[in-house]
Amino acid sequence: MSQALQQHHNLTMYRDEQLLATASALMPTLHSQAISPVSVINTVPDSHALHGWRAEKVADACTWLKQPFSPGDSFILDFGTHGVGWLNFICEAAGSPPDAPAHLEFIFGETLCEMAEPFSDYQGWLSSSWLQQHHEYIDVLPADITLARRYCFRYLKVRVVALSPKYQLRFKQITLNSVSSAPDEYPPCNATDPQLLKIDEVAVRTLRNCMQEVFEDGPKRDRRLWLGDLRLQALVNDVTFANHDLVRRCLYLFAGHRREDGMVSANIFVRPEVRADDTFLFDYSLFFVDTLYNYLQVTGDISTARELWPIAFRQVELALARCEAGLVTDSDEWWSFIDWHDRLNKQAASQGVLIYCIDKAVRLAEVCAPEQVAFLHDQLTWVKRAAHQLWDEASGFYISGSARQISAASQIWLVLADVGNAAHQLNVMTNLLQSPPSIGMNTPYLRHHFIAALLKCGLRERAVAEIKAYWGAMVDDGADTFWELFDPQRPDFSPYGSKLINSYCHAWSCTPAWFIRQFGL
Amino acid sequence: MSQALQQHHNLTMYRDEQLLATASALMPTLHSQAISPVSVINTVPDSHALHGWRAEKVADACTWLKQPFSPGDSFILDFGTHGVGWLNFICEAAGSPPDAPAHLEFIFGETLCEMAEPFSDYQGWLSSSWLQQHHEYIDVLPADITLARRYCFRYLKVRVVALSPKYQLRFKQITLNSVSSAPDEYPPCNATDPQLLKIDEVAVRTLRNCMQEVFEDGPKRDRRLWLGDLRLQALVNDVTFANHDLVRRCLYLFAGHRREDGMVSANIFVRPEVRADDTFLFDYSLFFVDTLYNYLQVTGDISTARELWPIAFRQVELALARCEAGLVTDSDEWWSFIDWHDRLNKQAASQGVLIYCIDKAVRLAEVCAPEQVAFLHDQLTWVKRAAHQLWDEASGFYISGSARQISAASQIWLVLADVGNAAHQLNVMTNLLQSPPSIGMNTPYLRHHFIAALLKCGLRERAVAEIKAYWGAMVDDGADTFWELFDPQRPDFSPYGSKLINSYCHAWSCTPAWFIRQFGL
């Protein structure tokens, strides 16, 4: 994820070198795979296609690359699939010895719009430095060059900007050496529905491409470990690559650099050294508890759970400190993520997250600190009971904030929090399906929780239909990997002011594979 | 130099690995010196300044660089002198942890016009890839970065293109690690005239910055070993840095890769392996003889002279093969350099070069192959006598080509060839000074031969005056190093269609130091 900006100056942070040493020892091996371009394409305006562009094949890549190129020549390579890694190319001069440097421009795109729409027009509010481009000046030919930065793309535009009139340029090879810390092998999907099988395939590729030295949110942007994404990635990892050490490493990274009061950050930088961001989110910090609980459930690694338990417990304490009469206090200056939505009031959904995570804390405490179970149980009862204050009988929905906002997020999270009995929860979800509030769902991240809530209420068929309608629509639009943002009604939506900067391989969108495999859909 | 393009396909070349091994063993050590920026400047339009731009100081560089910079910030650093080498900079984020890459743009300039006039406007016919610019995307901060390419500049424009709103960028250091194979120490200049002392200083710096792994023509462009430049550089090297091994290395490089018929190329590429260019110039090939002769004179290294003698002799044979009745045959499809001048007929000047170089061949043969002296002497007499056919009594000038063109170049070279007696030569030069032909001198390269001819005729004071008027004018215009091209009447002149691409530190312009020191001016 990327959050509207939060900045804290003069923060005092605590660094636990022992925990960081454990994280460091768990640095994964990256597996590499060479991907060659398949074809050369043009982008053609098409109002029926995603973002208004479709690809038109010009030639097979291997045939095309046999020709020598001149200044002004430009072409778009389609690698056939989305990949993350290092671009290598081998080129030579055709003609006289090269008496001037070769100047090449590369533009990398996850989508066709990055090929068709000039980056110079970008007006979004996230840094344009995320737009993937590179100028290379080659002083010596022939050359075997691997660009220094990692890129994330399916499409590559190559422009021969300048040579000398005495030579042309010939490419011997252009390769994406893709990397991932996911192993090559993973269990097959047992679904029989071809559409679900395809959705699973795209979801697994999404996770694979986000699995690097940490679980990244998006390998194009922000390339970073976010707690909210980690929690969902860990679920899919459990039923596919089973790289539990990577989950463990990420938990230790969050634990290793915390705010003075013990709060874990929403995200972690790992280079040049491990450093927590100064973004703190109510919900994300709590998810440390759930992620640790899930890790323990899957691995049985009690010693890790016990070592990290105090940090998990501290997140609950800090969240509880925000409560008044058992309710999360709303205000203008707090931060909880829930969804990318400008108008969404976060109080009710955050209450749901708090209940959900205290419940997991109780279960962790049973293993790690039985003496704290009673306390946590009391707190759980307290905040769960308080949640009923948010219920609005007239609408049949939970309300949030002083303006009594009704949103999809509030319903979803209070159902996931198991507030009310099963019949009540089913009523809430049914009402949500029948009378969707205007404050809806913007991200696949919230959509994940929607599906989870449907399944919790036994609405299995509806869950499948929603997965197909949402993630299936991305597949129909040509997704190789699932996107950070997708609103079927507004395919150009970006909270950042430009679809060019959206991430099109995004961790929090990979969960259909978990639903399909875990629930045998 | 750079020559209007000559291309030969399917050339058969001869590679002498033994000679190339000798060249390789003579690879020089590069001496490094760190140069820090002195000040921050603006470029201000000024019709009285070179190219219409003067520098206005904004701040001391060290003070300026203490501030943090934001996207859109841009500044020009003045390093106070011209240097060649690697740019290193250390920078860090000021504010939150850097949550997006830093995108920086660097533009390097030998002159202010490269800072003030956008490269995107460049319309010259040499490759725009020579214009020195670089985009750097920094994924991890703090960063200590040395750019991969060598640059040549006094001025550096730094533009902070994009950061994230969460941090600013601070530079801890920006340094040019300059390199040269010239030693730090060299004999002082004994001139007493302050203007000549200043010209000597600039000339020596020009040579130093061109002395790298070979004698380069220009460290900005073409960065390459040209025979015509080497010959003049070797002269200045003799009276300054005395790095005779570098001259020897360059002679072996030319000798090591020749055309099938034995002709040495006009220039040599040394990476990825030694390779002669497919440009062959009548005069430049002959200068192999003169350069070898000069090397022998200065070093007494007879074994090198003997080993390379057959190659030198072969250049004379090939040139003689172009003669009819002792005169160099003119035609439309031959190549002789002489000067950068579209309308210059090269016949008479080439005749002068031929005579000049056979004379040196005779002297080399006396040491290397006495049995060939008589033959060469006969040839010298033959071509020298034939040169008289070019004399036009009516004008008091030598004519060239079927259109009987009168040019400065023809007079200069036939005087240097010692055609006619001393009185006749003095008359020619006097006539040239009093009635300069419309086909004049375009480059410092031809200007060198003009000064040499004046000195040969005893016109010492005039030579000094011409050095001051020409190279002194560059100094007055702010030259740190002498330029590839300079016409005091047309300061924007470029044979390439843009002054941006001219080289402003160019080997063939460094010879005033030789005149001043060798002739005790």
Side-chain angles (χ1 to χ4, degrees):
Chain A
M1 64 157 288
S2 192
Q3 173 73 355
L5 300 171
Q6 190 180 152
Q7 270 195 293
H8 297 281
H9 297 297
N10 307 317
L11 267 184
T12 305
M13 301 293 292
Y14 172 75
R15 179 178 293 275
D16 187 321
E17 296 298 348
Q18 195 184 327
L19 298 180
L20 292 176
T22 302
S24 178
L26 292 164
M27 177 69 83
T29 303
L30 292 185
H31 309 282
S32 184
Q33 192 195 345
I35 305 177
S36 294
V38 177
S39 53
V40 175
I41 58 154
N42 280 334
T43 54
V44 182
D46 182 342
S47 59
H48 299 295
L50 177 72
H51 301 145
W53 300 103
R54 78 179 151 79
E56 183 179 72
K57 182 172 170 176
V58 174
D60 285 331
C62 60
T63 311
W64 180 267
L65 290 176
K66 288 202 173 91
Q67 68 186 300
F69 296 97
S70 299
D73 286 348
S74 174
F75 54 89
I76 300 172
L77 294 172
D78 179 354
F79 283 71
T81 188
H82 182 282
V84 179
W86 276 265
L87 186 78
N88 171 268
F89 62 96
I90 301 174
C91 58
E92 62 181 18
S96 293
D99 62 337
H103 175 189
L104 303 179
E105 184 186 20
F106 298 97
I107 293 174
F108 305 82
E110 298 183 294
T111 62
L112 288 172
C113 71
E114 291 155 275
M115 298 291 103
E117 301 177 23
F119 288 174
S120 53
D121 292 350
Y122 173 74
Q123 295 287 341
W125 62 267
L126 283 189
S127 178
S128 65
S129 61
W130 288 119
L131 300 172
Q132 301 179 103
Q133 53 189 325
H134 177 76
H135 285 267
E136 183 74 16
Y137 295 84
I138 310 170
D139 290 313
V140 176
L141 287 168
D144 182 337
I145 292 174
T146 296
L147 299 189
R149 301 179 75 210
R150 200 192 72 187
Y151 297 97
C152 170
F153 64 100
R154 168 173 172 166
Y155 304 104
L156 172 64
K157 186 189 278 184
V158 180
R159 193 162 71 91
V160 181
V161 183
L163 307 170
S164 106
K166 290 191 70 170
Y167 74 96
Q168 292 181 291
L169 197 73
R170 187 177 279 124
F171 291 94
K172 306 289 283 183
Q173 180 180 300
I174 301 183
T175 308
L176 163 60
N177 290 313
S178 70
V179 287
S180 169
S181 52
D184 293 341
E185 300 294 325
Y186 62 98
C189 179
N190 294 323
T192 52
D193 181 311
Q195 192 179 6
L196 290 182
L197 278 170
K198 180 65 188 172
I199 289 172
D200 179 84
E201 176 197 325
V202 173
V204 172
R205 185 180 301 114
T206 304
L207 178 62
R208 178 190 292 284
N209 289 355
C210 291
M211 283 173 72
Q212 304 294 336
E213 293 185 355
V214 295
F215 283 98
E216 297 184 10
D217 61 336
K220 175 173 105 175
R221 196 220 84 236
D222 312 332
R223 312 185 186 175
R224 203 184 318 152
L225 174 60
W226 285 86
L227 230 171
D229 299 77
L230 167 64
R231 169 173 160 265
L232 302 190
Q233 286 168 301
L235 295 177
V236 183
N237 176 62
D238 291 342
V239 294
T240 55
F241 304 121
N243 187 347
H244 303 300
D245 271 351
L246 190 61
V247 180
R248 187 168 169 239
R249 164 170 156 80
C250 292
L251 285 167
Y252 276 91
L253 287 170
F254 278 106
H257 199 214
R258 316 189 294 278
R259 203 167 64 184
E260 192 178 23
D261 64 1
M263 193 174 200
V264 296
S265 172
N267 70 84
I268 296 281
F269 299 88
V270 292
R271 290 188 189 277
E273 58 172 7
V274 176
R275 184 175 175 190
D277 190 26
D278 60 357
T279 298
F280 296 89
L281 299 170
F282 180 87
D283 50 349
Y284 274 34
S285 296
L286 280 169
F287 287 143
F288 186 86
V289 181
D290 185 48
T291 310
L292 181 61
Y293 170 72
N294 180 63
Y295 171 79
L296 173 63
Q297 282 296 100
V298 171
T299 62
D301 177 0
I302 295 177
S303 73
T304 290
R306 287 196 174 139
E307 185 168 17
L308 298 181
W309 164 251
I311 293 158
F313 180 71
R314 183 66 187 143
Q315 309 314 307
V316 174
E317 284 187 318
L318 289 165
L320 285 169
R322 220 197 135 73
C323 293
E324 224 166 277
L327 267 193
V328 175
T329 312
D330 195 24
S331 67
D332 289 336
E333 78 293 340
W334 76 311
W335 297 80
S336 188
F337 180 68
I338 307 297
D339 192 17
W340 252 124
H341 201 307
D342 281 346
R343 289 181 297 132
L344 176 63
N345 181 285
K346 315 284 177 85
Q347 185 195 25
S350 299
Q351 183 79 15
V353 171
L354 175 60
I355 298 165
Y356 181 93
C357 290
I358 298 180
D359 178 61
K360 301 298 170 65
V362 170
R363 303 186 209 191
L364 270 173
E366 286 165 358
V367 175
C368 303
E371 71 283 5
Q372 290 177 295
V373 169
F375 167 78
L376 283 165
H377 202 274
D378 287 350
Q379 299 300 313
L380 177 59
T381 307
W382 183 56
V383 292
K384 211 163 175 178
R385 187 181 308 129
H388 293 296
Q389 300 170 44
L390 300 174
W391 181 251
D392 177 60
E393 192 58 43
S395 62
F397 279 133
Y398 293 99
I399 53 91
S400 181
S402 56
R404 301 177 60 84
Q405 183 188 75
I406 294 172
S407 67
S410 301
Q411 318 317 312
I412 290 164
W413 268 110
L414 285 163
V415 165
L416 290 175
D418 203 36
V419 175
N421 62 23
H424 170 75
Q425 292 171 25
L426 179 59
N427 281 340
V428 171
M429 290 309 290
T430 307
N431 196 20
L432 180 62
L433 292 168
Q434 285 169 355
S435 312
S438 63
I439 306 292
M441 299 175 274
N442 268 350
T443 58
Y445 173 76
L446 181 55
R447 193 73 59 154
H448 162 88
H449 296 102
F450 171 59
I451 303 295
L454 290 175
L455 288 167
K456 181 171 190 303
C457 296
L459 297 169
R460 186 180 166 97
E461 282 182 27
R462 183 64 189 240
V464 170
E466 293 286 346
I467 289 172
K468 288 184 170 183
Y470 190 72
W471 282 272
M474 286 191 249
V475 171
D476 292 344
D477 271 341
D480 304 298
T481 48
F482 288 124
W483 311 333
E484 175 188 20
L485 297 144
F486 179 56
D487 181 342
Q489 308 310 314
R490 295 180 297 163
D492 285 358
F493 169 70
S494 168
Y496 317 117
S498 169
K499 63 185 182 296
L500 290 174
I501 207 97
N502 287 358
S503 162
Y504 292 91
C505 173
H506 216 74
W508 68 24
S509 305
C510 75
T511 58
W514 182 67
F515 291 122
I516 292 166
R517 290 162 182 256
Q518 182 77 7
F519 295 86
L521 304 183
Chain B
M1 64 157 289
S2 192
Q3 175 72 356
L5 299 172
Q6 190 180 152
Q7 270 195 293
H8 297 282
H9 298 297
N10 307 318
L11 267 184
T12 306
M13 300 293 292
Y14 173 74
R15 180 178 292 275
D16 187 319
E17 297 298 348
Q18 196 183 327
L19 297 181
L20 291 177
T22 302
S24 178
L26 291 164
M27 176 70 84
T29 303
L30 292 185
H31 310 281
S32 184
Q33 193 196 344
I35 305 178
S36 295
V38 177
S39 52
V40 175
I41 58 155
N42 279 334
T43 54
V44 182
D46 181 344
S47 59
H48 299 296
L50 177 72
H51 301 145
W53 299 103
R54 77 180 150 78
E56 183 179 73
K57 181 172 170 176
V58 173
D60 286 330
C62 60
T63 311
W64 182 266
L65 290 175
K66 288 203 175 90
Q67 67 185 300
F69 296 97
S70 299
D73 286 348
S74 173
F75 54 89
I76 300 172
L77 293 172
D78 179 355
F79 282 72
T81 188
H82 182 282
V84 179
W86 277 266
L87 186 77
N88 170 268
F89 62 96
I90 301 175
C91 58
E92 63 180 18
S96 293
D99 61 338
H103 175 189
L104 303 179
E105 184 187 19
F106 298 98
I107 294 174
F108 305 82
E110 297 182 294
T111 61
L112 288 173
C113 70
E114 293 156 275
M115 297 292 103
E117 301 177 21
F119 288 174
S120 52
D121 292 350
Y122 174 73
Q123 294 289 341
W125 62 267
L126 282 189
S127 177
S128 65
S129 60
W130 288 119
L131 301 172
Q132 301 178 101
Q133 53 190 326
H134 177 75
H135 285 268
E136 183 74 16
Y137 295 84
I138 309 170
D139 291 312
V140 177
L141 287 168
D144 182 339
I145 293 174
T146 296
L147 299 189
R149 302 179 74 210
R150 200 192 72 188
Y151 297 96
C152 169
F153 62 100
R154 169 172 171 165
Y155 304 103
L156 171 64
K157 187 190 278 185
V158 180
R159 192 162 71 91
V160 180
V161 183
L163 306 171
S164 106
K166 289 190 71 169
Y167 73 97
Q168 292 181 291
L169 198 72
R170 188 178 279 124
F171 290 95
K172 307 287 284 183
Q173 181 180 299
I174 301 184
T175 309
L176 163 60
N177 290 312
S178 71
V179 286
S180 169
S181 52
D184 293 340
E185 299 293 324
Y186 62 98
C189 178
N190 293 322
T192 52
D193 181 312
Q195 191 180 7
L196 290 182
L197 278 170
K198 179 68 187 171
I199 290 172
D200 178 84
E201 175 197 325
V202 173
V204 171
R205 184 181 301 114
T206 304
L207 178 62
R208 176 189 295 282
N209 289 355
C210 291
M211 283 174 72
Q212 303 294 337
E213 293 185 353
V214 296
F215 283 98
E216 297 184 10
D217 61 336
K220 174 174 106 175
R221 197 220 82 240
D222 313 332
R223 311 183 187 179
R224 204 183 318 151
L225 174 60
W226 285 85
L227 231 172
D229 299 78
L230 168 63
R231 169 174 161 264
L232 303 191
Q233 285 168 300
L235 295 177
V236 183
N237 176 63
D238 291 342
V239 293
T240 55
F241 303 121
N243 187 347
H244 304 300
D245 271 352
L246 190 62
V247 180
R248 187 168 168 238
R249 164 170 157 78
C250 292
L251 285 166
Y252 275 91
L253 287 170
F254 278 105
H257 199 216
R258 316 189 293 277
R259 203 166 67 184
E260 192 177 23
D261 64 1
M263 194 175 198
V264 296
S265 172
N267 69 85
I268 296 281
F269 299 89
V270 292
R271 290 188 190 276
E273 57 172 8
V274 175
R275 184 173 176 192
D277 188 28
D278 61 356
T279 298
F280 296 89
L281 299 170
F282 181 87
D283 51 348
Y284 274 35
S285 297
L286 279 170
F287 286 142
F288 187 86
V289 182
D290 184 47
T291 310
L292 182 60
Y293 170 72
N294 180 63
Y295 171 79
L296 173 62
Q297 283 294 102
V298 170
T299 63
D301 176 0
I302 294 177
S303 72
T304 290
R306 287 195 173 139
E307 185 168 18
L308 298 182
W309 163 252
I311 293 157
F313 180 72
R314 184 64 187 143
Q315 308 314 307
V316 173
E317 284 186 318
L318 289 165
L320 284 170
R322 219 196 137 73
C323 293
E324 223 167 276
L327 267 193
V328 174
T329 312
D330 195 24
S331 68
D332 289 335
E333 78 294 340
W334 77 312
W335 297 80
S336 187
F337 179 69
I338 307 298
D339 193 19
W340 253 124
H341 202 306
D342 282 345
R343 291 180 296 133
L344 175 65
N345 182 286
K346 315 283 178 86
Q347 185 194 27
S350 298
Q351 184 78 17
V353 171
L354 176 60
I355 296 165
Y356 182 92
C357 290
I358 299 181
D359 179 62
K360 300 297 169 64
V362 170
R363 302 187 208 189
L364 270 173
E366 286 165 357
V367 175
C368 303
E371 70 284 5
Q372 290 177 294
V373 169
F375 166 77
L376 282 165
H377 201 273
D378 287 351
Q379 299 299 314
L380 177 61
T381 307
W382 184 55
V383 294
K384 210 162 177 179
R385 188 181 306 126
H388 293 295
Q389 299 170 46
L390 301 173
W391 180 251
D392 177 60
E393 191 58 40
S395 63
F397 278 133
Y398 292 101
I399 54 91
S400 181
S402 56
R404 302 176 62 82
Q405 183 188 76
I406 293 172
S407 68
S410 301
Q411 319 315 313
I412 290 165
W413 268 111
L414 286 162
V415 165
L416 290 175
D418 204 36
V419 175
N421 61 23
H424 170 75
Q425 292 171 27
L426 180 59
N427 281 339
V428 171
M429 290 309 289
T430 306
N431 196 17
L432 180 61
L433 291 168
Q434 285 169 356
S435 312
S438 64
I439 306 290
M441 297 175 274
N442 268 350
T443 58
Y445 174 76
L446 181 55
R447 192 74 58 154
H448 162 88
H449 296 102
F450 170 60
I451 304 294
L454 289 175
L455 287 167
K456 180 172 192 301
C457 296
L459 297 168
R460 184 180 166 98
E461 281 182 27
R462 184 64 191 240
V464 170
E466 292 285 345
I467 288 173
K468 288 184 171 183
Y470 190 72
W471 282 270
M474 287 192 247
V475 171
D476 292 343
D477 271 341
D480 305 299
T481 49
F482 287 125
W483 311 334
E484 175 187 21
L485 298 145
F486 179 55
D487 181 342
Q489 307 310 313
R490 296 180 297 162
D492 284 359
F493 169 71
S494 169
Y496 316 117
S498 168
K499 62 184 182 297
L500 289 174
I501 207 97
N502 286 359
S503 161
Y504 292 91
C505 172
H506 217 73
W508 69 22
S509 305
C510 74
T511 57
W514 182 66
F515 290 123
I516 292 167
R517 289 160 182 258
Q518 183 75 9
F519 293 88
L521 304 182

